[in-house]
Amino acid sequence: MTDPLHRELLDLAQEAARRAGELLRDGRPADLAVARTKSSPIDVVTEMDIAAEKLITDLISGRRPGDGFLGEEGADTEGTSGIRWVIDPLDGTVNYLYGLPTWAVSIAAEQDGETVVGVVAAPMRGETYHSVRGGGAWATGAWEGERALSCRPAPPLDQALVSTGFNYVAEVRAHQAEVAGRLIPLLRDIRRSGSAAVDLCDVACGRLDGYYERGLNAWDFAAGDLIAREAGALTGGRPGEGPARDLTVAGTPGVFEPLQRLLEDFGAWHD
Ligand code: IPD
Ligand code: CA
Ligand code: CA
């Protein structure tokens, strides 16, 4: 039986992700331009990132005025209810800017600091992934009802398909490329989708064996991390730690452990 509060948070997260996803999909201007940049000249924000975050925070705060927010585009409030929403209104902005289909709306709800609900909507795939803590991982799409997600049985590491991402800061990217260069001969192959939230859900769906990245923020991984874990994946950061800015790692059991060890040996968390 799902806790009624968690059910309410899930329903609200799904509605917000669906409406923001429709806004982004149907409202993308043909002449979409960069509104401003953040950590570097290639770390871009569009008017649509900002509009999607506003839609989500307006909707949720209208229904649950006591909740707090942490959103990539600036939402940052404590709240009084013990619930905080961690939101990436558009994960995969560079893909979106270029008209590539891999981008998502990522919404997580934390209760007393722990993620209890995660929703990732990938509108151009026509798929949405969701989890409530302890309740498994699920997808909805162009089929009847909900499909249970479960990560793949582990192949040997040299047959594992692993995704990663590159930070927007040039020196960090250069170091990430070195680490990827050392890893690639040891794996089946490497992918770079352009959306951390989609990568984590692809581990949950069994479409990837593993994923890692340095430099993520909580809004990038909060929802996808819960969905991956609820699908049976292992997730973490550096050995013994949870996913963090230093390092985020996810993988099917049997791939996660050697991948995390190699990333530690290769110093993936720093340059
Ligand atoms: C980015 C994407 C990308 C990852 C970057 C993130 P954004 O998020 O998740 O895949 O490699 O580290 O910052 O900027 O598109 O929301
Ligand atoms: Ca992001
Ligand atoms: Ca974003």
Side-chain angles (χ1 to χ4, degrees), residues 43 72 88 90-93 165-166 168 192 194-196 213 216 220:
D43 184 1
E72 178 168 20
D88 192 337
L90 171 48
D91 186 54
T93 295
F166 300 101
Y168 293 118
R192 197 289 192 251
S195 164
E213 185 163 348
L216 293 184
D220 297 307

Side-chain angles (χ1 to χ4, degrees), residues 1 4 14 57 113 126 150 153 179 190-191 256 265 268:
M1 239 312 258
Q14 285 177 310
T57 53
S150 93
V179 171
I190 282 188
R191 294 286 180 268
F256 172 82
D265 291 350

Side-chain angles (χ1 to χ4, degrees), residues 19-44:
R19 288 174 52 178
E22 286 168 0
L23 173 78
L24 290 164
R25 186 192 60 204
D26 303 337
R28 181 181 177 278
D31 60 349
L32 180 67
V34 172
R36 61 187 167 89
T37 59
K38 295 201 278 195
S39 61
S40 82
I42 54 167
D43 184 1
V44 299

Side-chain angles (χ1 to χ4, degrees), residues 155-161 184-189:
L157 193 67
D158 62 3
Q159 290 172 39
L161 186 63
I184 200 166
L186 309 175
L187 304 172
R188 178 191 293 275
D189 208 347

Side-chain angles (χ1 to χ4, degrees), residues 10 68 113 238 266:
L10 174 66
R238 295 188 60 194
F266 295 166

Side-chain angles (χ1 to χ4, degrees), residues 61-75:
S61 57
R63 303 269 177 85
R64 295 184 46 89
D67 292 357
F69 289 98
L70 175 67
E72 178 168 20
E73 305 316 333

